[in-house]
Amino acid sequence: MIVPMIDLHAQYQDIKKEIDAAITQILEETSFIGGPEVRQFEEDFKTVVGAGHVISCANGTDSMEMTLKALNISAGDEVIVPAHTWISTSEVVVTAGAVPVFADVAFDSCCISIEDIKKKITTKTKAIIAVHLYGHPADLDALVQLSEEHNLHLIEDCAQAHGSTYKGQPVGSFGTASSFSFYPGKNLGCYGDGGAVFTKDEQLALKIRQLGNHGQLTKHDHRIHGRNSRLDTLQARVLSVKIPYLKGWIEKKNEHAAYYHEGLKGIKEIDLPTLMGENRYHSWHLYVLKTKKRDALKAYLQEQDIQCGIHYPKALPFQPCYSDFDHKKTDFPVAARLQDEVLSLPMYAELEKEQLDHVISSITTFFER
Ligand SMILES: *Cc1c(COP(=O)(O)O)cnc(C)c1O
């Protein structure tokens, strides 16, 4: 039995009729950029993030970078970002011209550590980018409080967390703005690249929309230096078809997470991801456990036709592109540990019980050998 990390084909089979009809319609209209479908998607996405402004764009990295630019974050400014995340989170700070200041993460949640943020705030700090990593909501009460106290922008990187909630409220609606990616493998993915910003601030929304559209709000009136960053019509339609299914997919993933938990909780050598209590709802973009025997376990599972991933094998402060900072492992003890211990198990809505059982029994066998 083969168990992939994610099975986009299985999802496509389930919604094939609607997807094919939507794509055929766009092909017939041969209208590939803009149009009412893109605006309709932006409306539809509010059922996920709540009331506010949705600005669609070309990918999740762009959405964050344009947000920083729109907030005038630039040379001389510092932005605090987690040490353990996908590179986009710190990359956008550099492309905006500012300096990324890494904060360590908490071992349990793998999300940014509030204690370490406090140590990193200086007079130059302008913003904190918090990532709801793997779909686990970051510590939003503390983040909101800290950013208010220090007059900082809180930007939520929700690329892995469409559908996660914190105290019943969708993540992405707590900070100044939030960023979403619709890369195919995300909770809500299109069939190519896509992204969006969400904000409740109308002026900021307008500025970001302008930035992504060559600095214009009306054609040939270029008010500011912009760029081209748009979600194409096909992707917008694919996303609109998928949105009504998102909640059900996440519910399924929560069932799978609980099943993994039940099956694996007896193994002492693993740290399992926390199942959420009342106040937080996890969307399980990834199901990530930790073990000191990570590499051997991964190799063993591979032999059993079980695909696993490592998110991420090298924490950002230790990447060659940041070597100028001269960061040491002891500066980020948790991130340094996670890079050696994290393992992402197969996780997607369409996983069958037999597949889950195969993963659980293989892991159990590995630790009993
Ligand atoms: C995927 C991802 C992004 C950006 O996504 P793209 O759409 O590929 O640009 C940003 N941050 C995190 C944490 C991600 O996982």
Side-chain angles (χ1 to χ4, degrees):
M1 185 190 314
I2 295 175
V3 193
M5 264 286 289
I6 183 168
D7 189 346
L8 293 178
H9 192 260
Q11 187 194 69
Y12 171 54
Q13 287 307 311
D14 284 348
I15 54 172
K16 183 171 164 40
K17 262 202 189 132
E18 281 176 85
I19 290 281
D20 289 1
I23 289 180
T24 305
Q25 184 205 338
I26 301 296
L27 295 182
E28 288 296 340
E29 287 171 5
T30 53
S31 153
F32 299 113
I33 298 292
E37 292 84 359
V38 178
R39 287 305 166 107
Q40 184 58 49
F41 158 71
E42 292 176 345
E43 281 308 307
D44 295 345
F45 193 56
K46 292 177 191 169
T47 62
V48 179
V49 280
H53 306 273
V54 174
I55 309 101
S56 61
C57 64
N59 56 67
T61 310
D62 275 9
S63 68
M64 237 180 327
E65 189 187 324
M66 292 194 296
T67 300
L68 293 180
K69 289 228 167 105
L71 291 170
N72 295 317
I73 290 171
S74 57
D77 297 335
E78 293 177 355
V79 178
I80 299 177
V81 299
H84 177 80
T85 171
W86 172 241
I87 184 104
S88 297
T89 317
S90 56
E91 194 175 47
V92 295
V93 178
V94 178
T95 44
V99 177
V101 175
F102 294 103
D104 207 0
V105 294
F107 185 76
D108 284 346
S109 66
C110 302
C111 292
I112 196 160
S113 151
I114 305 300
E115 288 316 304
D116 210 37
I117 295 177
K118 287 180 184 165
K119 292 181 200 155
K120 303 288 165 76
I121 294 176
T122 72
T123 53
K124 293 179 179 171
T125 311
K126 288 284 150 50
I128 301 167
I129 305 182
V131 184
H132 305 298
L133 200 70
Y134 310 145
H136 186 302
D139 198 349
L140 281 163
D141 275 344
L143 285 162
V144 168
Q145 197 193 341
L146 201 59
S147 12
E148 281 173 1
E149 261 169 38
H150 295 268
N151 201 18
L152 307 174
H153 290 296
L154 173 62
I155 298 165
E156 294 172 73
D157 180 345
C158 302
Q160 306 190 357
H162 330 57
S164 298
T165 64
Y166 185 87
K167 295 190 170 166
Q169 187 183 327
V171 301
S173 57
F174 289 80
T176 304
S178 59
S179 158
F180 289 85
S181 164
F182 306 118
Y183 180 83
K186 309 280 185 180
N187 293 341
L188 179 65
C190 56
Y191 291 168
D193 272 314
V197 180
F198 175 78
T199 178
K200 292 178 184 164
D201 179 335
E202 188 176 358
Q203 287 311 310
L204 183 64
L206 217 59
K207 182 111 187 260
I208 294 169
R209 201 175 279 292
Q210 224 171 338
L211 278 173
N213 187 26
H214 304 293
Q216 58 187 6
L217 281 176
T218 53
K219 204 157 189 174
H220 304 304
D221 183 16
H222 307 279
R223 296 292 172 102
I224 55 175
H225 295 293
R227 58 152 75 171
N228 172 6
S229 183
R230 48 195 176 212
L231 181 73
D232 68 64
T233 317
L234 268 173
Q235 306 307 341
R237 279 297 290 135
V238 166
L239 290 167
S240 283
V241 168
K242 283 188 171 196
I243 283 173
Y245 294 96
L246 180 65
K247 195 160 173 275
W249 287 331
I250 294 175
E251 279 166 12
K252 275 275 168 219
K253 291 200 278 185
N254 270 280
E255 286 171 23
H256 301 335
Y259 197 78
Y260 272 144
H261 195 89
E262 215 29 56
L264 298 171
K265 68 180 184 197
I267 304 174
K268 287 199 182 57
E269 288 169 275
I270 330 185
D271 283 298
L272 294 175
T274 13
L275 298 176
M276 301 287 91
E278 270 173 30
N279 282 334
R280 298 178 189 204
Y281 187 60
H282 202 313
S283 54
W284 299 106
H285 168 56
L286 294 168
Y287 184 93
V288 180
L289 55 75
K290 298 145 197 151
T291 172
K292 296 217 178 334
K293 296 190 176 154
R294 192 266 314 274
D295 292 338
L297 176 61
K298 182 167 189 285
Y300 179 78
L301 293 176
Q302 192 77 45
E303 285 167 24
Q304 318 303 315
D305 287 328
I306 297 167
Q307 287 176 9
C308 296
I310 297 177
H311 303 91
Y312 299 91
K314 188 182 276 207
L316 298 182
F318 316 135
Q319 290 288 350
C321 61
Y322 298 121
S323 59
D324 284 355
F325 291 117
D326 210 14
H327 289 307
K328 312 230 167 358
K329 281 196 173 176
T330 45
D331 299 335
F332 306 96
V334 178
R337 183 174 167 196
L338 289 176
Q339 66 182 10
D340 295 333
E341 295 192 16
V342 288
L343 184 68
S344 312
L345 299 188
M347 179 49 94
Y348 53 92
E350 300 77 10
L351 268 171
E352 311 264 353
K353 184 170 172 297
E354 293 71 33
Q355 292 177 303
L356 291 164
D357 285 335
H358 181 48
V359 177
I360 292 168
S361 67
S362 300
I363 295 176
T364 308
T365 307
F366 173 83
F367 283 104
E368 283 172 354
R369 283 185 313 171

